[in-house]
Amino acid sequence: MDKVSWRLDNAVITVSLPPTDAEWAAEGTRGLRHVPPTHEGRGPEPLPLPETEGTSPVQLGAMGTGL
């Protein structure tokens, strides 16, 4: 089995490829190339949920039963 590893910051990513006779995999792991990430870190924080009136347990139970 062919293995290839990449080191990214403090992490190591290892991919194992089983032997195959597929034409697209003829180069084995040499056919793999590094693709840079398109996003790093976190995106913007979502907006907070709007404030609503509290729902009683009886109302929640009725919603679950379809009453």
Side-chain angles (χ1 to χ4, degrees):
M1 185 165 300
D2 288 340
K3 290 186 179 182
V4 64
S5 297
W6 294 276
R7 180 173 297 282
L8 300 170
D9 295 328
N10 294 327
V12 176
I13 299 171
T14 301
V15 179
S16 299
L17 300 175
T20 180
D21 58 357
E23 290 182 20
W24 58 266
E27 294 182 37
T29 57
R30 292 182 306 280
L32 297 176
R33 63 183 172 87
H34 175 72
V35 177
T38 56
H39 298 81
E40 291 184 13
R42 294 178 54 160
E45 291 295 320
L47 296 174
L49 295 174
E51 294 293 326
T52 61
E53 248 183 62
T55 305
S56 74
V58 173
Q59 288 173 317
L60 286 175
M63 285 189 246
T65 61
L67 295 177

